[in-house]
């Protein structure tokens, strides 16, 4: 089968579309067996039933007399309008902006009507329509040249050739040669097929593209036209650059009793189609489908010069029955002026031409009503107007089915044509137009754009329905689009291009279509590769959809993000993790995600939705980041816990958890609250430290504490590093981990402005420690970098961590260490938990060679030594700080400072032991031993052992009385006195 557009020859004789250019292939011409009388093709399976439904409730069946119609308001549902597609040529076109389609009243046959109403005389000469037809007449009728009697006499001598049921190719371009640069008929595609049919009482003509047969057909047609006075359509020499093919699509009403084997339908119009205007057949419309009670679908094409683009052109459809009788269609609109008939309006928009063709989708071609003009005026009631609107909607649904049928063959060419056609179609139905002296909206029809959009959305909703069913049934066989993702993008295109308002349920349905089914990124890309090549701002459309859903509180939009990410350029890789803005890192550019996550602090349903659709994480690598950035702080722990299995397979996303947390903490401004750090009484440590929810609770759907905030997030991050460190050894991202963890620690120290929240910087420092410890293991396994370079990297990160920690201590401990009461011995800590805080951070196990512990202990010692010696001694001996034993480095540092303070005090020969507290034996023994040692007499720097000197010292020493008092106080002080009475040397 040969394509009429690109001439590609296909071996498949039953192919519907060209495999090269995507155009609809013409069906084969009827055989000789149907030469005497062609009948309409039988409807597809199920078509007869639909036809009966339409017959019972046709919206225009009540307009004509003699119809025993039912209530005109009782029309068939939209579902009944899904007419089965026949062998029509399904091209790609959109209707022009200003076409008006009318319904027609049922009427008797043409011959009977001529007898009943002599005023409506049939036009015998094509160039001279009767002015008395008023609305049904041509725009500028010329004076009559022949009487009706002569017309009938001449035409009875002519033998009528049966018409072939061959549609015009929608993208067929005529290659003809004449001097007329205006318009030509588009029905030439079926010329050879018509020639192959044997006319009545004439020898059978052979089939095929026989030039002699074509010439004979042409000569016979010219002779017939000469007898009837009809001007033969001229062929145009316009090239594709000079002219534009206009394909007409219309429904001829059943009331015409149209017989494709005996009748002809033409287009006639203004001088833009060729001169003389209204006196020539611009193109012939060929029968393509039986619509049962609605009538018949006819199609044809013509070429107009490009100079007429974007300009209104009047035209009408004309029916020619046997013996040359010609009848103009009737438009149900009262004329404003008697001299200006109402015509259809064609306006080819150059901005919507696409590949270069224009498809004019019209509605129903109606008959001229019987009776006088006043009869029509009296009958043009509101009921008639409603029927006209319903007729337009019925026709629009049928035409929309034809537009969608092109997608039965899914490729880039067909998609491009589909979207071009769809836009042309909407540009016509958006505002019904007529030509009455000039192009103008059909305002009396009261069919506003909002109603058009509503009906269009109803039609699109029906096409969405098979994909929204949860029963799991397969798609209907006649559904041209076989993927819900593809259908979702088509619907999204319509919503964006035509500015259709969607309700909350509509948004949910659209998001459901755009929630991907593929199990891998490759499948997702393969499913959408062709449609995303269409020139359209898919990314902006999807972003707008997300914003609509956020405004309408439809959370399902988060599942459409894989499709959005497919439309976006991937973020360029950066050497320094965290340099990108958060929206770029999270692939949420253009989406107000921060406002979304803060709008409600509790997003339990959103977390549940993400858990239900966690399979999408394997489809889109950027989705984990996006979802992380969409959740409020208190739900992040639950999210990371739920994704633990995914993180085990893709440990690189642990880095995303760290960086995502860092982004979130950087946004916090002002002092942290108890809620933010998880210090509310209702947040037990046992729950914060859990790695899994309580038994019986869903991992995402169960109740979880509202207090899982920054502290619990840092704990979860630390747990992830501990759990998956063996997998991280295989990751080439350790350097990025170091950088991100340092940034996380610096940010944590910056936002923690209260010393009571010390656990946060301690946890963030531990996170850095884990990576620093892990780094040498990765280096030894991979050996990717030089040893010197790695040492410098670790050293740099460590120094940054240490500097941030020391800076934090300086900010939170701005006051003195001790406060002294009325009594000099009444010393208390300014910050009761200071020693505990020092101990928590000092005991983090950084590698010894880095000097973490020594540096912080030096800072603590320097802070203590700024206090008076007695204050240091009294504070050390008090019970307001808890010592953890001799192995506690912070306690040892404090003890060192206290002993050095004892040496200074003992030089003043004042009593010290009587002022000390002895509740803590370890502290007491340490201090008593220090006092004895520091007070013992010395000679030339050596301890005196002479008994006389020792006795003299004991008798004159101020603390000797207190020392003997201790002997009686500590009756069980056997462990103390060996220390007290030991050799001071």
């Amino acid at each position: 089968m040969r394509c009429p557009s690109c001439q590609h020859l296909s071996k498949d004789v039953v192919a519907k579309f060209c495999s090269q250019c995507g155009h609809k292939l013409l069906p084969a011409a009827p055989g000789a067996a149907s030469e005497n009388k062609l009948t309409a093709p039988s409807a597809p399976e199920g078509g007869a039933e639909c036809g009966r439904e339409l017959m019972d409730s046709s919206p225009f069946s009540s307009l004509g007399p003699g119809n025993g119609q039912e209530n005109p308001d009782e029309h068939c549902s939209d579902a009944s309008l899904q007419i089965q597609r026949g062998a029509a040529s399904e091209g790609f076109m959109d209707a022009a902006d200003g076409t008006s389609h009318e319904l027609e009243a049922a009427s008797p046959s043409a011959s009977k009507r001529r007898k009943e109403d002599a005023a409506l005389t049939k036009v015998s000469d094509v160039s001279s329509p009767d002015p008395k037809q008023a609305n049904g007449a041509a725009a500028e009728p010329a004076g009559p040249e022949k009487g009706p009697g002569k017309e009938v006499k001449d035409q009875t001598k002519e033998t009528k050739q049966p018409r072939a049921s061959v549609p015009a190719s929608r993208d067929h371009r005529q290659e003809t040669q004449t001097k007329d640069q205006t318009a030509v008929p588009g029905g030439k595609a079926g010329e050879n097929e018509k020639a192959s049919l044997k006319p009545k009482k004439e020898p059978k003509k052979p089939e095929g593209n026989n030039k002699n047969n074509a010439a004979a057909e042409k000569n016979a047609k010219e002779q017939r036209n000469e007898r009837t006075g009809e001007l033969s359509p001229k062929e145009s020499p316009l090239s594709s650059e000079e002219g534009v093919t206009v394909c007409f699509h219309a429904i001829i009403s059943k009331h015409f009793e149209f017989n494709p084997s005996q009748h002809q339908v033409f287009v006639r119009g203004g001088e833009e189609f060729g001169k003389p205007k209204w006196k020539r057949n611009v193109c012939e419309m060929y029968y393509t489908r039986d619509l049962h009670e609605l009538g018949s679908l006819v199609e044809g094409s013509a070429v107009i010069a490009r100079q007429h683009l974007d300009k209104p052109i009047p035209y009408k459809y004309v029916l020619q029955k046997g013996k040359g009788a010609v009848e103009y269609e009737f438009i149900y609109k009262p004329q404003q002026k008697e001299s200006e008939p109402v015509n259809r309006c064609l306006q080819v928009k150059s901005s919507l031409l696409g590949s270069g063709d224009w498809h004019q989708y019209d509605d129903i071609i109606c008959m001229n009503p019987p009776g006088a003009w006043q009869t029509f005026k009296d009958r043009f009631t509101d009921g008639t107007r409603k029927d006209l609107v319903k007729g337009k909607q019925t026709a629009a649904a049928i035409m929309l089915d034809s537009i969608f049928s092109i997608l039965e063959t899914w490729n880039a060419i067909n998609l491009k044509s589909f979207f071009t056609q769809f836009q042309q179609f909407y540009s016509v139905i958006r505002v019904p137009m007529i030509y009455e002296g000039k192009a103008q909206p059909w305002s009396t029809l009261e069919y506003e754009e909002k109603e058009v959009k509503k009906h269009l959305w109803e039609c699109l909703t029906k096409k969405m329905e098979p994909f929204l069913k949860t029963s799991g049934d397969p798609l209907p066989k006649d559904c041209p689009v076989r993927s819900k993702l593809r259908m979702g993008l088509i619907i999204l295109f319509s919503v964006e291009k035509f500015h259709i308002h969607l309700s909350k349920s509509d948004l949910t349905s659209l998001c459901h279509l755009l929630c991907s089914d593929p199990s891998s990124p490759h499948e997702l890309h393969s499913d959408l590769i062709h449609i995303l090549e269409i020139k359209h701002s898919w990314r902006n459309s999807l972003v707008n959809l997300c914003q609509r859903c956020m405004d309408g509180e439809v959370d399902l939009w988060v599942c459409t993000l894989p499709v959005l990410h497919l439309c976006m350029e991937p973020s360029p890789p950066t050497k320094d993790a965290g340099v990108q803005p958060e929206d770029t890192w999270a692939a949420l550019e253009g989406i107000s995600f921060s406002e979304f996550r803060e709008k409600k602090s509790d997003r339990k349903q959103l977390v549940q939705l993400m858990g239900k659709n966690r399979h999408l994480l394997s489809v889109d690598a950027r989705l984990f980041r996006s979802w992380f950035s969409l959740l409020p702080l208190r739900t992040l722990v639950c999210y990371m816990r739920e994704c633990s299995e995914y993180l085990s397979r893709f440990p690189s996303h642990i880095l995303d958890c760290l960086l995502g947390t860092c982004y979130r903490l950087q946004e916090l401004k002002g002092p942290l609250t108890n809620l933010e750090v998880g210090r509310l009484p209702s947040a037990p440590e046992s729950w914060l430290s859990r790695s899994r929810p309580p038994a019986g609770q869903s991992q995402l759907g169960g109740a979880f504490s509202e207090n899982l905030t920054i502290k619990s997030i840092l704990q979860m991050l630390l747990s992830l590093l501990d759990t998956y460190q063996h997998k991280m050894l295989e990751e080439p991202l350790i350097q990025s981990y170091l950088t991100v963890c340092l940034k996380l620690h610096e940010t944590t120290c910056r936002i923690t402005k209260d010393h009571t929240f010390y656990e946060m910087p301690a946890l963030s420092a531990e996170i850095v420690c884990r990576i620093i410890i892990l780094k040498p293991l990765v280096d030894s396994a991979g050996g990717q970098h030089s040893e010197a370079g790695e040492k410098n990297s670790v050293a740099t990160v460590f120094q940054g961590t240490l500097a941030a920690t020391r800076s934090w201590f300086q900010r939170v401990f701005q006051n003195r260490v001790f406060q002294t009461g009325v009594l000099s011995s009444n010393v208390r800590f300014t910050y009761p938990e200071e020693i505990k805080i020092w101990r928590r951070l000092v005991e983090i196990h950084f590698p010894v060679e880095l000097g973490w512990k020594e540096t912080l202990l030096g800072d603590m010692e320097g802070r203590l030594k700024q206090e008076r010696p007695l204050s240091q001694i009294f504070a050390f001996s008090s019970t307001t700080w808890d010592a953890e034993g001799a192995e506690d480095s912070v306690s040892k540092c404090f003890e060192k400072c206290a002993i050095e303070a004892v040496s200074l005090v003992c030089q003043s020969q004042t009593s010290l032991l009587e002022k000390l507290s002895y509740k803590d034996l370890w502290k007491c023994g340490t201090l008593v031993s220090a006092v004895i040692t520091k007070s013992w007499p010395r000679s030339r720097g050596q301890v005196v052992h002479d008994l006389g000197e020792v006795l003299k010292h004991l008798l004159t020493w101020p603390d000797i009385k207190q020392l003997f008092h201790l002997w009686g106080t500590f009756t069980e002080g056997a462990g103390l006195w060996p220390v007290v009475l030991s050799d001071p040397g």
Side-chain angles (χ1 to χ4, degrees), residues 875-945:
F876 177 77
S877 64
S878 71
T879 58
T880 57
W881 67 281
D882 54 334
E884 295 187 357
E887 298 302 322
D888 178 9
S889 59
V890 172
S891 298
K892 286 184 177 181
C893 180
F894 200 176
E895 176 188 343
K896 175 186 174 183
C897 293
I899 292 174
E900 291 179 357
V902 167
S903 178
L904 295 174
V905 172
C906 288
Q907 294 176 5
S908 63
Q909 295 296 315
T910 59
S911 176
L912 179 62
L913 294 180
E914 63 180 0
K915 301 176 183 180
L916 298 179
S917 171
Y918 305 115
K919 294 182 179 179
D920 190 321
L921 293 181
W922 173 77
K923 296 177 185 178
C924 180
T926 299
L927 289 174
V928 169
S929 177
V931 169
I932 293 174
T933 302
K934 298 301 179 180
S935 302
W936 201 262
R938 295 176 180 272
S939 176
R940 298 178 182 180
Q942 299 297 322
V943 175
V944 174
H945 294 281

Side-chain angles (χ1 to χ4, degrees), residues 171-425:
D171 289 315
H172 182 59
R173 301 184 183 279
Q174 302 288 343
E175 297 181 359
T176 56
Q177 296 179 354
T178 65
K179 296 181 180 180
D180 192 345
Q181 296 283 330
T182 54
V184 298
K188 302 296 288 184
E191 195 84 327
N192 294 327
E193 288 85 343
K194 291 189 294 181
S196 67
L197 301 176
K198 183 178 75 174
K200 294 181 181 180
K201 301 181 181 180
E202 288 186 10
K204 177 181 178 181
K205 297 179 181 179
E207 298 182 5
N209 296 328
N210 188 290
K211 294 183 179 180
N212 294 331
N213 293 336
E217 171 69 13
K218 182 177 181 180
N219 292 335
K221 190 170 183 178
E222 288 178 351
Q223 293 175 6
R224 181 183 64 201
N225 292 338
E226 289 176 0
R227 291 194 299 270
T228 61
E230 177 184 303
L231 296 181
S232 174
K234 296 181 179 180
E235 296 178 347
S236 172
L238 295 176
S239 65
S240 59
E241 291 77 17
E242 298 171 327
V244 173
T245 300
V246 178
C247 301
F248 295 90
H249 306 258
I251 300 173
I252 184 167
S253 170
K254 65 174 183 177
H255 302 106
F256 278 105
E257 299 179 355
F258 175 68
N259 187 334
S261 65
Q262 298 178 0
H263 305 154
Q264 290 176 281
V265 180
F266 298 100
V267 173
R268 294 186 183 181
E271 60 184 5
E272 294 84 358
F273 288 113
K275 296 180 180 180
K277 57 183 178 181
W278 296 99
K279 296 183 180 180
R280 56 172 298 168
N281 293 332
V282 176
C283 71
E284 183 171 357
M285 304 291 290
Y286 292 93
Y287 168 88
T288 57
R289 199 197 316 175
D290 180 15
L291 301 179
H292 306 286
E293 290 304 312
L294 287 177
S296 302
L297 180 65
V298 291
E299 298 175 324
S301 64
V303 178
I304 65 171
R306 288 187 174 271
Q307 65 187 26
H308 301 309
L309 298 182
D310 302 307
K311 298 177 182 179
I313 304 173
Y315 74 100
K316 267 186 179 171
Y317 291 100
V318 180
L319 177 67
Q320 183 172 355
K321 295 190 175 181
K323 299 182 181 180
V326 174
E327 183 176 359
Y328 278 88
E329 68 169 313
F330 185 82
I331 299 177
Y332 277 81
K333 179 188 179 302
Q335 292 179 233
Q336 297 175 357
K337 296 181 181 180
E338 194 168 334
S339 59
E340 295 177 352
V342 180
N343 296 301
R344 292 183 182 267
C345 181
L346 167 68
Q347 188 165 356
V348 179
K349 291 188 174 182
S350 57
S351 60
L352 298 179
L353 279 178
S355 60
D357 293 345
W358 179 270
H359 290 260
Q360 182 74 4
Y361 273 103
D362 287 330
D363 50 13
I364 300 174
I365 303 172
C366 299
M367 288 181 62
N368 195 341
W373 172 244
Q374 186 61 41
T375 303
F376 165 69
K377 291 178 64 178
D378 294 340
R379 293 176 62 251
F380 194 81
T381 61
D382 187 62
T384 303
R385 184 194 63 79
K386 291 181 179 179
D387 286 343
L388 291 171
V389 170
K390 291 180 179 179
K392 283 186 173 293
Q393 294 176 343
T394 300
I398 294 172
M399 299 301 180
L400 193 61
D401 282 346
S402 296
I403 295 172
F404 267 87
S405 67
I406 194 60
L407 298 178
E408 291 174 356
T409 300
W410 187 269
N411 55 44
I413 295 176
N414 285 8
L415 279 166
K416 182 179 180 181
S417 299
F418 167 81
F419 286 115
T420 301
Q421 170 195 5
F422 201 0
Q423 293 179 81
Q424 293 176 353
F425 167 75

Side-chain angles (χ1 to χ4, degrees), residues 647-831:
L647 293 173
S648 68
R649 291 186 292 118
F650 302 98
S652 60
H653 286 294
I654 297 176
L655 179 61
D656 290 333
C657 295
L658 292 164
L659 186 53
T661 302
C662 186
Y663 279 122
R664 305 299 287 279
L665 298 186
Q666 288 175 344
E667 287 187 354
L668 297 177
K669 296 179 175 59
L672 296 177
T673 64
N674 284 337
L675 179 62
E676 290 171 322
V677 296
R679 287 179 57 85
L680 286 183
S682 59
E685 290 293 323
S686 59
W687 170 248
L688 296 177
S689 61
R690 286 173 183 165
S691 60
R692 289 289 174 184
Q697 289 187 3
S698 170
Q699 291 182 349
L700 281 180
F704 51 85
S705 173
E706 294 182 354
N707 306 315
L708 296 176
T709 50
I710 298 176
K711 179 181 176 181
S712 55
I713 291 172
L714 295 173
Q715 288 175 332
M716 186 67 190
L717 292 174
L718 193 59
S719 175
L720 290 174
L721 292 176
D722 291 338
T723 303
Y724 300 114
Q725 60 179 344
H726 63 287
K727 292 182 177 293
M728 292 171 59
L729 291 174
E730 305 171 1
E731 291 294 324
L733 299 173
I734 297 301
Q735 183 59 46
S736 297
Y737 275 94
L738 285 171
T739 305
V740 172
C741 290
L742 172 59
K743 189 180 294 292
L744 177 62
H745 179 64
E746 291 174 339
T747 303
T748 304
C749 290
R750 177 183 57 81
I751 65 175
T752 308
K753 300 179 180 180
D754 191 327
H755 70 281
T756 58
F757 301 151
Y758 66 91
E759 189 65 21
M760 290 167 48
L763 287 170
S764 62
E766 280 196 84
I767 290 173
V768 178
C769 179
R770 292 292 195 281
I771 301 300
I772 288 180
I773 294 174
L774 188 63
K775 187 71 163 61
L777 300 177
V778 176
D779 296 341
S780 61
Q784 298 177 356
H785 305 286
S786 66
E787 183 177 352
E790 296 302 339
K791 287 183 178 179
N792 291 336
S793 174
V794 170
T796 301
V797 172
F798 172 77
Q799 292 299 328
T801 304
L802 183 59
T805 306
R806 298 177 71 185
S807 177
W808 178 78
F809 271 117
Q810 292 174 5
R811 288 198 310 272
V812 298
F813 293 149
Q814 294 183 2
N815 298 325
R816 300 175 63 89
V817 180
F818 307 124
Q819 292 179 349
T820 304
V822 177
L823 299 176
S824 60
S825 61
N826 187 13
V827 178
R828 64 179 182 275
F829 284 87
T830 304
Y831 307 98

Side-chain angles (χ1 to χ4, degrees), residues 39-56:
T39 59
S42 60
E45 184 179 352
E49 182 178 351
C50 180
R52 286 192 294 270
E53 293 175 4
L54 293 171
M55 183 193 314
D56 294 339

Side-chain angles (χ1 to χ4, degrees), residues 516-580:
S516 58
D517 284 335
S519 58
S520 69
H522 176 72
E523 288 186 17
L524 177 63
H525 182 266
S526 300
D527 195 19
L528 300 180
I529 181 172
H530 290 313
I531 194 168
L532 294 181
E533 291 175 354
I534 299 300
K535 188 178 180 181
H536 177 68
S537 182
W538 294 109
R539 180 180 176 276
N540 289 342
S541 296
L542 287 163
V543 168
N544 292 340
L545 174 64
C546 293
Q547 191 60 53
R548 285 192 186 192
C549 291
M550 285 189 288
D551 296 339
E553 297 184 351
V554 178
D555 289 342
L556 192 58
W557 70 272
V558 302
C559 297
T560 70
L561 291 175
V563 182
L564 172 61
H565 293 161
L566 192 61
C567 303
M568 299 170 60
E569 292 293 333
S571 303
T574 57
K575 295 183 180 180
D576 186 5
V579 170
Q580 296 173 314

